[in-house]
Every structure is written in C-alpha cells, then in structure tokens.
Amino acid sequence: MNWRSDEVRWRFLPGAIATILMASLFHFGLLSPLEQIGYSTLFQLRGERKWDDRLVLIKIDEPSIKQFGQFPWKRSRYADLLDRLTQADASIIAFDVLFSESSPDDAAFAQAMLKSKRVVLAQAEDESGQPLLPIPELRDAAVASGHIRIWADTDGMTRAIQPQINGTLAFGIATVMSYSMMQAAIAMPDLSHPIWLNWVGRADQIQQYSFASVVQGDVPDSAFRDKIVIVGMTAIGMDATPTPFNRYPLASGVHLQATLIDNVLQGNPVHSMRHPVITLLIFAIGGVGFSILLSFYRTGIQVAIAGFAIAGWIGGSVTALQANYLLPVALPIGLVVSSTIATALIERSRMNAALRQQVDQLQQRYQTTVVTRPVPEATSIREITQLTTLADQLGQAQLTQQAITHSLAIGLIAADLRGQVWFCNEIATSLLHVEIDQALEAILVPEWLCLEQWQQVLAQPHTVFVEKFYQQKWFRLQVEPLSVQTDGVLVSLEDITIRKAIELNLGDQIQELNQLSELKDEFLSTVSHELRTPLTNMKMAIQLLKIASTETQKEHYLQILENECNRESDLVNGLLDLQRIESGQQPLQSTSIELQTWLPTLLEPFYRRTETRQQEFNVIIDPSLPILNCDRAAVERVLVELINNACKYTPPNEQIVVSAEWIAPWIEFRVENSGIEIPDEAIDKIFERFYRVPNADPWKQGGSGLGLALVRCLVESLQGKIELKSEPNWTIFIVRFKSE
C-alpha cells in the first residue's frame, strides 16, 4: 500500500471507531439518560416564556382540601364551582378530574353542566387498560371529553402526548377545540403524529387560584371572563410529574395538560428533529467527517475545535428551541468527544511508533549519541521524522549534536535503569540542579514523583507525566523509556506557564462572554417588547377610532392614543437619557447649591400631589447642611424621580418622608415611604433597566421601568452613592453626595 492510501486509511479510522461506538450506544438506548438530561438543560438555557393570558388554573390544593375535607369530594362542590364560573362568563371549564363512578350528587352536577354548556371532562384508563369514562349522565351533559393518558420516559418526564387514541382526542386538544367554537377560530396541530410539548416555564407562574377561594367568591369575575379555566389536582404528593422547570418541588398532571393547551393556543408545539435522515447526517458529519477535519491539526488545536463544536451545537440547539425545533444533544456531542479522543489516541500511537522506529535506528548507529524525544503535543509525525533525520546527520559530529540538545527550550535528562544520570542539558541543570552520574531519585522523589511511581518506572519503563507549580512557574515533567536496545529513561521538563494561564483564564472568559451575550439578548428582547406594546395599543385605538359612532367614544380613543404616544415618548427619552449618561455625552456643570432654600422650593409641588392621594408628606432638613457643589439639574432629577416613585407606590393614609442630613463628609438624602416593602429577591434587581417588582403596582399606574436605572447612573456620574433598604412596612432610598 502506498503512502497516500495509508494516510487516507488513518484519517478515516478514528471516525469509523467513534461512529461504531456511538451507534452501538444509540442502538441499545444507552444514550437515552444523557439525551433526557440534555432535553431539560436546553429548556433551562432557553429560559421561561409567558403563559397564555387566556388560560386560568383552579387548583385543588392543600388549603382547599383542608377546608372541604379529604379528596375525592362530593359532586356538589364541583356544581358550586361550575355555577360560580358560569356566572363569571368563563368560555370553557375543563375538569382534569375523573368522574367514572356514580354519586348521589350527579343529577345536580349534570344540571349545572347543562346550564353552563361549556364543560369538558377527562377520561383515562385503569392499570388493566379498561377505559375510565365519565358516567353517562355527566358525559351527555358535557360539550366534549378527552383522554389524559400520558407516556412518561424513564426519568418520569412526559415529552410528547398522543393527540388522539381510538378516536378520542387528548384532553387539551378537546378543550381548545371547544374554546375555538365559542371564540375566535384556533388552528389545530397535526393530529396524526405525537405532539411534543413546548414547556412554558414554572408551574407557579400560570394564572391560578385556589378552589376554595373561587367557590367562596374571593376572586373577581373578571379573572375568568372569556378564559379557558382548567380545574385539577395540585396538592403535594398527588398526581406529581416533573418538568424541565419543576424538579423540586414537582409539578402535577394538570400542569402538563395546561402546557398542551398553551402550546395549541400559541401554535408553538415543539417540532422534534429526531428523524432517521437527520440521525444519519449526524453520524456522517459528527463521526467520520469531524475526525477527518481533526486529523489535519495537532492535539491542542483538535481539543479547541472540539470545544468550539460542542459549544456551537449547544448554542444552535438553544436557538433552534427558541424557534420551536428540538435537536438531539447527547448523540452529536458524544460523536464529537469520541471522534476527538479516537483521533488523538491514534495520532499519539502513530507518533510513538514512528519515534521508536527512528530512535532505534539512531541507537544502533550511534551508541554514544544522546537520544532525544520531542514532546508529542508540540510536534507532528512529519516534524518527528525531520528531527530524527537531522539527529542522524549530526550524529557524526558529537560536539554539534550536544550543542543542539543543550539549546533546546526544554530540560532533558537521560538515566539508566539504576537511576544514574548519564546526560543532562543546561536547562535541566539550572532547574533541577542535576549533574552527570548523580542519582536521579534524589532529584525527582518526592518533589515530582512518589517513591512507588519511580520504582515502577525503573522496574518496567513506561510513560509517566506530572504537572506542577515550581519556582513561580508551571512545568510538565515527563518520564518515558528510551528504546528497546538502550535500557533507561528519558526525563523532559517543559515550561507550560503560558498554556496553563490560558487554561485557567479560558473558563472565566467564556463565562464572562456568555453573561455579556445574555445581557445583550435580554436587553434587546425587553426593549423590543416595551416599544412594541404602546405601538400595538395605538394601532388598536386607531382602528377603534375609525369605527367610533359617538363623540364620547372618539374622545376616549383619542385619549388612549395620547397616553400611548406619551408612554412611547417617555420610554425613548428615558433610553436616550440613560445612553447619554452612560456614554458620558451629557455634560455635568458643578454649581453651589444652598440646600436650606433650594429643597423647600423643589418639594413644594409634592404637598398638593400627596394631599390629593390622601398621603402624608413630611420633610426634614438638617439646619447644619453645608453648601453642595454639584450639578443642580442632575441632583434635582434624582430626588424628583425617587419622590415620584414613592408617591406612585405609597397607599392612601401612609407616609412619605424626605430628609436631608449632614453626616460628614457626606450629605445624605433619604426618601422613605410606608405601607410597602420590597422583597429580598428584588432588591438586587431594582436598579436594572425595565425591571418592575412583581405585584407591586395594584393601581396599574405603569411606567417604563427606567426611572431607578437612570437615578443610579446619575448618582454614579456625580461620584455619589445610592442604597436601598427594605424594612417591614417601609422602603428607604438613601443617596449620598460628598461635600467638598
């Protein structure tokens, strides 16, 4: 076989080995646990999405069971709930509860269902495969019924649902179809194939209410009007099921059905790319093709290429999932890893074989010639051949050969099997203080190798290496046999400080780049959403204005247009102000501010504003306040933003306290408001752009979410400090400026 055909064979061999290995694991299902882990990880990397606003969950939870007694309940409980939801004008009421056994209250429940004309019931199968159908009286009263049968994988998670079994639609499909007939038509997915679930997010983020609270009338009718209401068990330990976002604690079966309903409403079920053709392409490209690519590079670059390939596949898989396409993870990554390992091992084997052959020839020809072995990681087969050929030519001149070995950038030591040194170059002498005829054991043990390792190397020469931080640098020491004919060992000592520093810093750099990328994506997503919302409302108002029939309606829609225009303008101006401050484009002019006279004038408008809101407004100014040398407009905007924020979120009959105090060398401004406190988890995010504390705006006053971010930038540009404290029933913002 000629050289070219032999080279082609070696390039194909690693890929063939990796492909056979991964094909075997794939065939016997041994990759399934890794694929399941990859499945959950992709959803977590993609992040949570917002649950559809048309979906509401009524929970049969612990408080409801505590109030109404042990489950199952009397049908009268469900009849009461049904009457309540019918009164609230819910579009569809779907019970993820089995009613397969008769009870005395069936007639009343059926009557409530007939009156409602919007009930969907669930059906299932028992352990023997017998159907568990709603009793005929209830089934006849329902508008539809659907199966809740699921097939969980070995990790307990359900990834796909059969849209119909024996002509019976899935519970979620039947629910959305019923809703579609009563509201706007909704496109249905392909019912001839399993529907892969596109997990939305954590179960507690769906709009949900306790069964007991709804029955008692604690929830307003508006929460259910024109909505799909799904009723199901969420109590801990009952019907538990894991999701990518719910492991501890688990979600429940009703959340799985809610996910299916959300997917159909949004039209975004996942499209699984686990197709035989795609699998074959992955084997071809990730196995043989990838190993051929790696064979053109040395080991370090091979590892880097593999790392970039894995990172690229994971990033591409997350991007594909954002577009509702699910790619396999374990198989392609396994092929990349196995191809890289196989390529490196075979390349190393070939290098060692070629090196041994060349060294053996030199040893036979020059008995007194020093044998050197280049570090495999830094050389290729061709480079080894060139080096040994050069050593063969220089072997005729002992002095020239010694000059080359002494000029190498690595330390070299040769010793016989008694551990007696018979050669060392200058680098080895300077680093290890070794000399000819010295016992190598005293140099290497225990500083580099333990006594047992050294004895094993001498008894049966084999390659051993260790990396160590020595004399403020990182070194790689390698001990390996010389050759078959010459009994002994060769010790090489290489400075790997630069490589080690790159390895140590690479992880931090990748993590920092990922964080920057996530921040960029999050910012662009949030800005686009915030800018799009007012535009959508303006378009809606314009359409309504076209069909308005009265002047009152026209004025109302014009007011909406004006409000949304102002909202869009405030958002854009806020972003521009924030960008100018952060980029240093907004000049700051320092002036002398007499706080005792300036602050009362600034705060005067807030007395009337707080009075109209039935809030108590107090101002405390330290008479010893010194002159503040600062940008007057910037300080004014900081204080006005903080006080506006306090007025917005302070309930009636609560207090707002603004104070200025001299605490050398700082002038400290405090804006305090009672009746509200900020959760601990929100304190670290409160100054982020567009962040608003969840459920902290019961009056629906809105806002751009840029005010506090702008305040922080202004304070920092003025060389000041800002701090947030949240105490029981109090929220306190503290701003400090140094008085010079």
mmCIF file of all heavy atoms in Angstrom, residues 698-725:
data_model
loop_
_atom_site.group_PDB
_atom_site.id
_atom_site.type_symbol
_atom_site.label_atom_id
_atom_site.label_comp_id
_atom_site.label_asym_id
_atom_site.label_seq_id
_atom_site.Cartn_x
_atom_site.Cartn_y
_atom_site.Cartn_z
ATOM 1 N N PRO A 698 -50.603 47.761 42.376
ATOM 2 C CA PRO A 698 -52.022 47.404 42.342
ATOM 3 C C PRO A 698 -52.891 48.468 41.687
ATOM 4 O O PRO A 698 -53.989 48.189 41.257
ATOM 5 C CB PRO A 698 -52.365 47.225 43.821
ATOM 6 C CG PRO A 698 -51.362 48.055 44.544
ATOM 7 C CD PRO A 698 -50.104 47.982 43.746
ATOM 8 N N TRP A 699 -52.363 49.712 41.578
ATOM 9 C CA TRP A 699 -53.168 50.785 40.972
ATOM 10 C C TRP A 699 -52.961 50.865 39.459
ATOM 11 O O TRP A 699 -53.524 51.711 38.799
ATOM 12 C CB TRP A 699 -52.796 52.126 41.614
ATOM 13 C CG TRP A 699 -52.967 52.100 43.111
ATOM 14 C CD1 TRP A 699 -54.098 52.257 43.825
ATOM 15 C CD2 TRP A 699 -51.927 51.835 44.056
ATOM 16 N NE1 TRP A 699 -53.855 52.113 45.170
ATOM 17 C CE2 TRP A 699 -52.529 51.859 45.344
ATOM 18 C CE3 TRP A 699 -50.565 51.570 43.957
ATOM 19 C CZ2 TRP A 699 -51.807 51.634 46.509
ATOM 20 C CZ3 TRP A 699 -49.848 51.344 45.109
ATOM 21 C CH2 TRP A 699 -50.455 51.380 46.363
ATOM 22 N N LYS A 700 -52.086 49.980 38.890
ATOM 23 C CA LYS A 700 -51.864 49.891 37.441
ATOM 24 C C LYS A 700 -51.462 51.241 36.857
ATOM 25 O O LYS A 700 -51.955 51.690 35.832
ATOM 26 C CB LYS A 700 -53.116 49.364 36.726
ATOM 27 C CG LYS A 700 -53.626 48.037 37.239
ATOM 28 C CD LYS A 700 -52.608 46.938 37.076
ATOM 29 C CE LYS A 700 -53.132 45.607 37.573
ATOM 30 N NZ LYS A 700 -52.118 44.533 37.507
ATOM 31 N N GLN A 701 -50.515 51.935 37.565
ATOM 32 C CA GLN A 701 -50.056 53.221 37.068
ATOM 33 C C GLN A 701 -48.999 53.085 35.982
ATOM 34 O O GLN A 701 -48.714 54.021 35.261
ATOM 35 C CB GLN A 701 -49.504 54.056 38.228
ATOM 36 C CG GLN A 701 -50.562 54.295 39.308
ATOM 37 C CD GLN A 701 -50.022 55.152 40.437
ATOM 38 O OE1 GLN A 701 -49.951 56.371 40.297
ATOM 39 N NE2 GLN A 701 -49.628 54.524 41.520
ATOM 40 N N GLY A 702 -48.416 51.917 35.881
ATOM 41 C CA GLY A 702 -47.466 51.643 34.814
ATOM 42 C C GLY A 702 -46.159 52.383 34.988
ATOM 43 O O GLY A 702 -45.831 52.896 36.056
ATOM 44 N N GLY A 703 -45.407 52.465 33.932
ATOM 45 C CA GLY A 703 -44.100 53.100 33.961
ATOM 46 C C GLY A 703 -43.170 52.385 33.004
ATOM 47 O O GLY A 703 -43.424 51.260 32.595
ATOM 48 N N SER A 704 -42.067 53.060 32.643
ATOM 49 C CA SER A 704 -41.124 52.461 31.693
ATOM 50 C C SER A 704 -40.158 51.509 32.337
ATOM 51 O O SER A 704 -39.509 50.724 31.654
ATOM 52 C CB SER A 704 -40.345 53.578 30.993
ATOM 53 O OG SER A 704 -39.511 54.246 31.933
ATOM 54 N N GLY A 705 -40.001 51.570 33.659
ATOM 55 C CA GLY A 705 -39.015 50.718 34.308
ATOM 56 C C GLY A 705 -37.608 51.259 34.160
ATOM 57 O O GLY A 705 -36.640 50.543 34.402
ATOM 58 N N LEU A 706 -37.454 52.543 33.735
ATOM 59 C CA LEU A 706 -36.125 53.124 33.537
ATOM 60 C C LEU A 706 -35.770 54.145 34.610
ATOM 61 O O LEU A 706 -34.613 54.574 34.686
ATOM 62 C CB LEU A 706 -36.053 53.799 32.160
ATOM 63 C CG LEU A 706 -36.157 52.875 30.937
ATOM 64 C CD1 LEU A 706 -36.222 53.705 29.674
ATOM 65 C CD2 LEU A 706 -34.978 51.935 30.890
ATOM 66 N N GLY A 707 -36.738 54.540 35.431
ATOM 67 C CA GLY A 707 -36.503 55.623 36.379
ATOM 68 C C GLY A 707 -35.371 55.351 37.338
ATOM 69 O O GLY A 707 -34.442 56.150 37.484
ATOM 70 N N LEU A 708 -35.426 54.201 38.022
ATOM 71 C CA LEU A 708 -34.391 53.902 39.013
ATOM 72 C C LEU A 708 -33.053 53.604 38.351
ATOM 73 O O LEU A 708 -31.995 53.881 38.928
ATOM 74 C CB LEU A 708 -34.833 52.722 39.894
ATOM 75 C CG LEU A 708 -36.028 53.009 40.806
ATOM 76 C CD1 LEU A 708 -36.398 51.785 41.631
ATOM 77 C CD2 LEU A 708 -35.722 54.181 41.735
ATOM 78 N N ALA A 709 -33.060 53.009 37.147
ATOM 79 C CA ALA A 709 -31.801 52.799 36.425
ATOM 80 C C ALA A 709 -31.158 54.147 36.094
ATOM 81 O O ALA A 709 -29.938 54.325 36.198
ATOM 82 C CB ALA A 709 -32.046 51.991 35.154
ATOM 83 N N LEU A 710 -31.983 55.122 35.691
ATOM 84 C CA LEU A 710 -31.491 56.462 35.396
ATOM 85 C C LEU A 710 -30.960 57.129 36.652
ATOM 86 O O LEU A 710 -29.916 57.785 36.640
ATOM 87 C CB LEU A 710 -32.625 57.281 34.774
ATOM 88 C CG LEU A 710 -32.266 58.661 34.216
ATOM 89 C CD1 LEU A 710 -31.267 58.518 33.090
ATOM 90 C CD2 LEU A 710 -33.514 59.368 33.726
ATOM 91 N N VAL A 711 -31.652 56.937 37.791
ATOM 92 C CA VAL A 711 -31.201 57.506 39.064
ATOM 93 C C VAL A 711 -29.820 56.976 39.421
ATOM 94 O O VAL A 711 -28.918 57.720 39.809
ATOM 95 C CB VAL A 711 -32.228 57.183 40.179
ATOM 96 C CG1 VAL A 711 -31.619 57.451 41.551
ATOM 97 C CG2 VAL A 711 -33.473 58.020 40.002
ATOM 98 N N ARG A 712 -29.643 55.663 39.311
ATOM 99 C CA ARG A 712 -28.342 55.086 39.673
ATOM 100 C C ARG A 712 -27.227 55.640 38.782
ATOM 101 O O ARG A 712 -26.139 55.981 39.267
ATOM 102 C CB ARG A 712 -28.392 53.562 39.552
ATOM 103 C CG ARG A 712 -27.065 52.903 39.969
ATOM 104 C CD ARG A 712 -27.122 51.402 39.894
ATOM 105 N NE ARG A 712 -27.288 50.952 38.508
ATOM 106 C CZ ARG A 712 -27.314 49.674 38.146
ATOM 107 N NH1 ARG A 712 -27.192 48.721 39.061
ATOM 108 N NH2 ARG A 712 -27.485 49.337 36.891
ATOM 109 N N CYS A 713 -27.477 55.743 37.475
ATOM 110 C CA CYS A 713 -26.450 56.270 36.573
ATOM 111 C C CYS A 713 -26.107 57.721 36.920
ATOM 112 O O CYS A 713 -24.936 58.117 36.898
ATOM 113 C CB CYS A 713 -26.926 56.168 35.130
ATOM 114 S SG CYS A 713 -26.925 54.478 34.491
ATOM 115 N N LEU A 714 -27.131 58.523 37.210
ATOM 116 C CA LEU A 714 -26.881 59.921 37.571
ATOM 117 C C LEU A 714 -26.057 60.023 38.848
ATOM 118 O O LEU A 714 -25.096 60.791 38.932
ATOM 119 C CB LEU A 714 -28.211 60.656 37.735
ATOM 120 C CG LEU A 714 -28.927 61.081 36.445
ATOM 121 C CD1 LEU A 714 -30.315 61.600 36.750
ATOM 122 C CD2 LEU A 714 -28.117 62.126 35.704
ATOM 123 N N VAL A 715 -26.430 59.241 39.865
ATOM 124 C CA VAL A 715 -25.707 59.290 41.137
ATOM 125 C C VAL A 715 -24.254 58.876 40.937
ATOM 126 O O VAL A 715 -23.331 59.504 41.463
ATOM 127 C CB VAL A 715 -26.397 58.380 42.178
ATOM 128 C CG1 VAL A 715 -25.536 58.258 43.431
ATOM 129 C CG2 VAL A 715 -27.759 58.947 42.549
ATOM 130 N N GLU A 716 -24.029 57.810 40.175
ATOM 131 C CA GLU A 716 -22.660 57.345 39.953
ATOM 132 C C GLU A 716 -21.860 58.364 39.141
ATOM 133 O O GLU A 716 -20.665 58.548 39.380
ATOM 134 C CB GLU A 716 -22.682 56.000 39.242
ATOM 135 C CG GLU A 716 -23.192 54.874 40.133
ATOM 136 C CD GLU A 716 -23.309 53.552 39.390
ATOM 137 O OE1 GLU A 716 -23.144 53.553 38.153
ATOM 138 O OE2 GLU A 716 -23.562 52.535 40.054
ATOM 139 N N SER A 717 -22.506 59.034 38.160
ATOM 140 C CA SER A 717 -21.795 60.042 37.374
ATOM 141 C C SER A 717 -21.439 61.262 38.222
ATOM 142 O O SER A 717 -20.496 61.979 37.911
ATOM 143 C CB SER A 717 -22.660 60.464 36.183
ATOM 144 O OG SER A 717 -23.827 61.138 36.615
ATOM 145 N N LEU A 718 -22.177 61.498 39.313
ATOM 146 C CA LEU A 718 -21.891 62.594 40.240
ATOM 147 C C LEU A 718 -20.967 62.160 41.370
ATOM 148 O O LEU A 718 -20.797 62.884 42.351
ATOM 149 C CB LEU A 718 -23.204 63.126 40.829
ATOM 150 C CG LEU A 718 -24.176 63.782 39.826
ATOM 151 C CD1 LEU A 718 -25.491 64.116 40.500
ATOM 152 C CD2 LEU A 718 -23.561 65.021 39.207
ATOM 153 N N GLN A 719 -20.389 60.955 41.235
ATOM 154 C CA GLN A 719 -19.472 60.407 42.250
ATOM 155 C C GLN A 719 -20.161 60.206 43.596
ATOM 156 O O GLN A 719 -19.543 60.309 44.659
ATOM 157 C CB GLN A 719 -18.252 61.337 42.442
ATOM 158 C CG GLN A 719 -17.513 61.686 41.156
ATOM 159 C CD GLN A 719 -16.955 60.444 40.476
ATOM 160 O OE1 GLN A 719 -16.370 59.591 41.119
ATOM 161 N NE2 GLN A 719 -17.157 60.361 39.169
ATOM 162 N N GLY A 720 -21.457 59.939 43.544
ATOM 163 C CA GLY A 720 -22.198 59.692 44.771
ATOM 164 C C GLY A 720 -22.465 58.217 44.989
ATOM 165 O O GLY A 720 -21.977 57.354 44.256
ATOM 166 N N LYS A 721 -23.268 57.913 45.987
ATOM 167 C CA LYS A 721 -23.630 56.538 46.304
ATOM 168 C C LYS A 721 -25.139 56.461 46.504
ATOM 169 O O LYS A 721 -25.751 57.404 47.019
ATOM 170 C CB LYS A 721 -22.930 56.053 47.585
ATOM 171 C CG LYS A 721 -21.419 56.044 47.502
ATOM 172 C CD LYS A 721 -20.807 55.544 48.820
ATOM 173 C CE LYS A 721 -19.288 55.512 48.753
ATOM 174 N NZ LYS A 721 -18.697 55.040 50.038
ATOM 175 N N ILE A 722 -25.735 55.332 46.111
ATOM 176 C CA ILE A 722 -27.167 55.122 46.319
ATOM 177 C C ILE A 722 -27.372 53.760 46.940
ATOM 178 O O ILE A 722 -26.669 52.793 46.603
ATOM 179 C CB ILE A 722 -27.958 55.245 44.997
ATOM 180 C CG1 ILE A 722 -29.464 55.157 45.280
ATOM 181 C CG2 ILE A 722 -27.529 54.224 43.981
ATOM 182 C CD1 ILE A 722 -30.326 55.576 44.117
ATOM 183 N N GLU A 723 -28.318 53.674 47.859
ATOM 184 C CA GLU A 723 -28.550 52.438 48.609
ATOM 185 C C GLU A 723 -30.055 52.260 48.817
ATOM 186 O O GLU A 723 -30.797 53.231 48.966
ATOM 187 C CB GLU A 723 -27.834 52.528 49.957
ATOM 188 C CG GLU A 723 -28.023 51.320 50.856
ATOM 189 C CD GLU A 723 -27.348 51.510 52.214
ATOM 190 O OE1 GLU A 723 -26.717 52.578 52.417
ATOM 191 O OE2 GLU A 723 -27.471 50.613 53.079
ATOM 192 N N LEU A 724 -30.489 51.018 48.803
ATOM 193 C CA LEU A 724 -31.895 50.683 49.047
ATOM 194 C C LEU A 724 -31.996 49.808 50.281
ATOM 195 O O LEU A 724 -31.273 48.817 50.411
ATOM 196 C CB LEU A 724 -32.494 49.950 47.843
ATOM 197 C CG LEU A 724 -33.866 49.277 48.062
ATOM 198 C CD1 LEU A 724 -34.923 50.303 48.414
ATOM 199 C CD2 LEU A 724 -34.267 48.479 46.843
ATOM 200 N N LYS A 725 -32.885 50.188 51.199
ATOM 201 C CA LYS A 725 -33.183 49.367 52.368
ATOM 202 C C LYS A 725 -34.688 49.084 52.385
ATOM 203 O O LYS A 725 -35.496 49.974 52.115
ATOM 204 C CB LYS A 725 -32.793 50.073 53.666
ATOM 205 C CG LYS A 725 -31.297 50.264 53.850
ATOM 206 C CD LYS A 725 -31.000 50.908 55.204
ATOM 207 C CE LYS A 725 -29.491 51.087 55.419
ATOM 208 N NZ LYS A 725 -29.218 51.723 56.734
#
